[in-house]
């Protein structure tokens, strides 16, 4: 560990009020959020007890910790809670971790918006929640000092007890919680040094809090929610993207037992019935009429023509990054050029979109597997014309999210159904609707050009990207053509490669298809283009891809260490006979990543034998969970590289289920080797990192094996298959 960890700065200094959650028997310690110089406190009055923003203590000594983020398999409930408990000095066995409400105290410290995504959960909240826990710890110590009539400096905190070493006395948290709540809140609480961490970091791992109930089937996902008086809804969307409902004939649908109502939903229509399969059967008998969408019956060819025209047109480009004078440095030289294409993709989580909503005169309650806690609250308040505080969002576990659950369209549909029938409604999309109603990751078209110097390194670099926005649906400010979509250009701007003259241009393409973020945001498609092109430059310079990248990263010891470790673990210098290696490097989500794919050829197919991933996120807070996130991401990256693609015909998707929208399965997965370094000075993310370098590393390995360059994904589009992929069709 080479550097002291630096927490994110510029935390807000505004006070936040108490977030009441109606959980009895808990005493408030610190309310709101702790900024650089201000903190709010709440005093418990008499017998009345309540919960605060982050930490509450019961009279029995149990500690309740709030998790601001949604659990979708990334282990955030465990890690987030452990950070709080570790700094507090709580007994982990006596801690309960719960999902927080939608509230100001739980918003992103920099964006002031509550959501789960972009690998933001730990890396951004880490400093904030440690300070909140440290303030609570010091208030407990102050209360104990008064009770024991000793100096606070003589006390220590460990495993839920405040101890006085000299006398051997100890007081449990529950005994002094109410007195602690009366203490002044320290403006600058002292954080524990890393040497005193007991639950996180240092190669430690904790058993995941969410796993036991998922194994036994007791875990509650969105589709598991049951509410008294609840009915069910099934949905059908317009057959053309952007189409609108003109009318419907539900005479036959009404004959289905349990039918309650047909509910128009603009671009869709729902049938509400007593039970889900009754709703599905009635929906199949419904006879809707539709108005075509503004894009008409577009298809792949017409979409590609628009990409090609946008790339060729000189107008409407926006400079996303400029260092030096790339145009001048490239003038008169013959550049190396290449164009790369990443496909349209669907989120396709295993659990389709669903929500249960109860709309009453007193307020709205939403039970949903959502990444967008605040988005759901704000959007439903607007649609139903109620105050946001009248909308209560209760989060469940998520059966996958990948960014799709950041928006609230499925919750809106459930809310409108509940309002129409006057009962709580659980609405579930079928798999086909989940794909058809997706907000897709758009295709990325990228044209790269570079001129090499006498040493074979890029003297100048010009990168052009055409893609629709992925940020607009989740942005608090409008994003439109002529602006830079900062998520679209992630991984291209502020890159650590040393190139004196570089320029990145972006053009936002408007298409009649809803688009938004998907796992890896812009890093995934951009890394495929950039790291494939870096290999092309290395070849043109007559240099090895690994050593070429070392030269580009000269002066960056942390990045070089990641690259070197990946080369070491993969046996880069001496691969086994008949094996071929490909590498990719990324600086993504404040983590350095190097990945190496090892493969061989078997006839006209290839077999992946091993994938090495080395990551430096600054600190690894839970090693086993970190490995799981990276290796799960590797499998996602294989899906993107090998199979996953949405295509269009007649104004809608050809693919409607996993028989057409293919993902990697267990036989596709080779040996996975994952390691971590801790040299970066800031804390990075992990949940989105694992997939980023896989497509480029795989395509670079294929070039090493075949001398054929693959610039279009997925590989299956070009008839290029792994042994398993070919055998399974």
């Amino acid at each position: 560990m080479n550097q002291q960890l630096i927490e994110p700065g510029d935390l807000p200094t505004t006070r936040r009020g108490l977030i009441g959650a109606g959980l009895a028997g808990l005493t408030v310690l610190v309310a709101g959020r702790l900024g650089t110089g201000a903190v709010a406190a709440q005093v418990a009055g008499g017998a009345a007890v309540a919960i605060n923003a982050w930490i509450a203590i019961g009279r029995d000594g149990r500690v309740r910790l709030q998790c601001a983020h949604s659990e979708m398999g990334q282990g955030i409930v465990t890690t987030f809670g452990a950070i709080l408990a570790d700094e507090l000095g709580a007994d982990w066995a006596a801690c309960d971790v719960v999902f927080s409400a939608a509230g100001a105290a739980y918003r992103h410290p920099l964006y002031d918006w509550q959501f789960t995504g972009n690998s933001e959960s730990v890396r951004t909240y880490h400093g904030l929640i440690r300070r909140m826990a440290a303030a609570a710890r010091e208030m407990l110590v102050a209360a104990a000092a008064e009770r024991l009539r000793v100096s606070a400096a003589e006390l220590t905190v460990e495993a839920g007890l405040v101890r006085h070493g000299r006398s051997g006395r100890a007081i449990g948290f529950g005994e002094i919680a109410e007195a602690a709540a009366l203490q002044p809140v320290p403006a600058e609480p002292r954080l524990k040094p890393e040497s005193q961490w007991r639950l996180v970091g240092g190669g430690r791992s904790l058993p995941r809090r969410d796993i036991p109930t998922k194994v036994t089937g007791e875990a509650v996902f969105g589709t598991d929610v049951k509410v008294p008086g609840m009915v069910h809804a099934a949905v059908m969307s317009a057959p053309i993207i952007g189409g609108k409902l003109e009318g419907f004939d539900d005479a036959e649908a009404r004959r289905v037992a349990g039918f309650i109502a047909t509910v128009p939903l603009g671009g869709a229509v729902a049938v509400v019935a007593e039970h889900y399969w009754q709703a599905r059967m009635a929906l199949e008998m419904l006879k809707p009429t539709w108005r075509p969408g503004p894009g008409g019956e577009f298809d792949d060819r017409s979409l590609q023509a628009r990409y090609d025209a946008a790339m060729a047109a000189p107008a409407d480009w926006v400079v996303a990054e400029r260092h030096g004078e790339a145009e001048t440095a490239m003038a008169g030289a013959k550049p190396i050029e290449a164009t790369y294409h990443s496909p349209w993709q669907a989120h396709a989580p295993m659990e389709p979109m669903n929500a249960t909503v109860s709309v009453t005169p007193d307020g709205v309650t939403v039970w949903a597997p959502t990444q967008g806690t605040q988005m759901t609250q704000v959007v439903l308040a607007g649609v139903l014309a109620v105050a946001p505080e009248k909308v209560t969002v209760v989060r469940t576990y998520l059966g996958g999210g990948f960014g799709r659950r950041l928006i609230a369209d499925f919750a809106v549909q459930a809310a409108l159904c509940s309002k129409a029938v006057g009962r709580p409604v659980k609405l579930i999309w079928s798999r086909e609707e989940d794909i058809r109603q997706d907000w897709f990751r758009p295709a990325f078209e990228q044209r790269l050009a570079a001129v090499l110097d006498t040493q074979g390194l890029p003297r100048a670099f010009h990168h052009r990207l055409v893609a629709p926005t992925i940020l607009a649906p989740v942005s608090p400010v409008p994003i439109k053509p002529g602006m830079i979509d900062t998520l679209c250009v992630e991984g291209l701007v502020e890159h650590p490669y040393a190139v004196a003259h570089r320029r990145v241009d972006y053009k936002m393409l408007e298409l009649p298809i809803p688009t938004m973020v998907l796992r890896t945001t812009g890093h995934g498609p951009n890394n495929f283009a950039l790291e494939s092109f870096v290999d092309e430059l290395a070849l043109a310079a007559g240099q090895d891809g690994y050593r070429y990248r070392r030269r580009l990263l000269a002066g960056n010891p942390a990045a070089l260490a990641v690259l070197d470790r990946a080369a070491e673990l993969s046996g880069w210098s001496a691969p086994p006979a008949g094996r071929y290696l490909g590498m990719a490097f990324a600086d993504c989500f404040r983590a350095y990543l190097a990945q190496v794919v090892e493969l061989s050829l078997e006839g006209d197919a290839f077999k992946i034998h091993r994938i090495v991933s080395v990551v430096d996120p600054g600190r690894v807070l839970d090693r086993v969970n970190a490995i799981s996130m990276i290796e799960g991401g590797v499998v996602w990256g294989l899906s993107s590289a090998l199979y996953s693609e949405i295509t269009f015909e007649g104004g809608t998707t050809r693919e409607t289920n996993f028989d057409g929208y293919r993902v990697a399965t267990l036989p596709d997965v080779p040996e996975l080797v994952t390691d971590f370094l801790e040299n970066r000075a800031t804390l990075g993310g992990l949940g989105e990192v694992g997939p980023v370098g896989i497509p480029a590393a795989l395509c670079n390995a294929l070039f090493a094996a075949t001398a054929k360059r693959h610039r279009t994904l997925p590989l299956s589009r070009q008839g290029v298959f792994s042994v398993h992929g070919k055998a399974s069709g």
Side-chain angles (χ1 to χ4, degrees), residues 302-317 445 447 466 507 509:
S302 63
L303 291 173
Q304 186 58 51
R306 294 180 69 170
Y307 274 89
D308 293 342
M311 183 65 76
D316 301 322
W317 290 98
E445 195 82 10
R447 184 165 297 170
V466 173
K507 183 180 290 189
L509 184 61

Side-chain angles (χ1 to χ4, degrees), residues 19-102:
I19 307 299
L23 297 174
L26 300 169
T27 300
V28 171
L29 290 186
V30 181
R33 54 173 64 181
L34 188 64
T36 54
V39 66
Q42 174 70 26
V43 178
V49 291
I51 196 167
N52 77 320
W54 298 101
I55 300 168
I57 298 175
R59 293 175 182 136
D60 60 356
R62 291 201 68 83
V63 178
R64 180 159 295 189
L65 307 170
Q66 296 288 320
C67 181
H69 303 283
S70 299
E71 176 63 70
M72 47 190 164
Q74 81 278 40
I76 190 60
V77 165
T78 303
T79 304
F80 204 88
I83 295 167
L84 281 163
D86 214 0
E87 192 65 47
L88 180 64
D91 177 3
W92 181 237
C95 291
D96 300 309
V97 186
V98 299
F99 294 130
S100 72

Side-chain angles (χ1 to χ4, degrees), residues 85-424:
D86 214 0
E87 192 65 47
L88 180 64
D91 177 3
W92 181 237
C95 291
D96 300 309
V97 186
V98 299
F99 294 130
S100 72
Y106 308 115
R107 294 175 186 168
H108 190 290
L110 303 180
Y111 303 150
D112 199 31
W113 191 251
Q114 188 179 352
F115 68 96
T116 305
N118 203 42
S119 283
E120 295 276 0
S121 300
V122 169
R123 66 177 168 127
T124 306
Y125 282 73
H126 187 251
L128 168 64
I129 62 177
R130 285 187 67 201
R131 287 176 173 83
M132 295 298 292
R137 184 187 69 242
E138 292 187 5
M139 294 163 72
L140 287 163
V141 167
E146 290 180 358
R147 177 80 62 89
L148 299 175
R149 298 185 179 181
V150 298
S151 166
E154 299 178 39
L155 299 176
T156 60
V157 181
E158 185 177 4
L161 297 171
V162 183
R163 297 180 182 275
H164 184 244
R166 187 158 51 84
S167 66
R169 291 177 293 171
I171 300 179
F173 282 4
E175 299 176 63
I176 53 173
E178 292 192 25
L182 299 172
Q183 298 295 322
V185 179
E188 296 183 7
R190 182 185 63 84
L191 299 182
K192 291 182 178 180
E194 292 184 48
S195 60
Q196 293 182 15
W197 292 0
R198 297 292 180 264
L199 298 175
V200 297
R204 301 179 187 88
S205 293
L206 293 171
R208 287 263 297 266
R209 286 290 180 98
D210 58 318
I211 295 299
T213 57
K214 289 179 178 178
V215 172
T216 62
E218 298 170 276
V220 177
F221 291 82
T223 52
D224 298 316
V225 169
K226 294 180 180 178
V227 177
M230 179 181 77
V231 293
H232 299 260
V235 180
M236 176 193 302
S237 61
I240 293 179
I241 291 173
K244 300 295 181 183
L245 182 69
E246 284 192 328
F248 58 86
D249 177 354
D250 64 355
E252 292 186 29
R254 288 175 175 273
R255 298 192 184 103
V256 175
F259 174 92
I260 296 174
T262 304
V263 182
L265 297 170
V269 61
V271 170
V272 182
E274 292 292 341
H275 302 289
Y276 176 70
W277 285 107
Q278 292 174 337
R280 282 287 298 271
M281 291 172 62
L283 186 68
E284 291 176 6
M285 297 180 180
L286 193 69
K287 297 176 181 178
T289 55
W290 304 95
R291 183 170 67 253
E297 298 189 358
F298 57 85
D299 58 16
D300 296 333
R301 182 174 296 182
S302 63
L303 291 173
Q304 186 58 51
R306 294 180 69 170
Y307 274 89
D308 293 342
M311 183 65 76
D316 301 322
W317 290 98
V318 182
V319 178
E321 183 180 56
R322 173 183 283 156
H323 289 277
E325 295 294 336
E327 304 95 318
T328 302
M330 297 177 76
K334 182 175 176 56
I336 300 167
E337 297 179 301
T339 299
Y340 291 86
H341 177 87
S342 295
W344 290 84
Q345 291 186 321
H347 295 82
M350 289 302 294
E351 180 189 23
M353 299 302 108
N354 68 89
T356 302
V357 181
S358 176
V359 179
T360 72
D362 295 327
V364 181
T365 304
V366 184
W367 297 265
T370 178
Q371 296 175 254
T373 312
Q374 188 177 355
M375 177 77 80
T376 300
Q377 184 185 54
V378 170
V379 169
L380 262 64
V383 169
L384 300 172
V386 300
E389 57 269 21
K390 289 287 188 179
V391 180
T392 300
V393 180
V394 181
R395 285 177 287 153
T396 66
Y397 286 134
L398 281 62
F402 316 127
R404 178 59 180 87
R405 288 185 154 98
L406 285 165
I407 59 176
D409 51 347
F410 53 96
V412 167
Q413 290 181 350
L416 293 175
C417 288
S418 176
K419 183 178 181 181
V421 303
R423 294 172 67 179

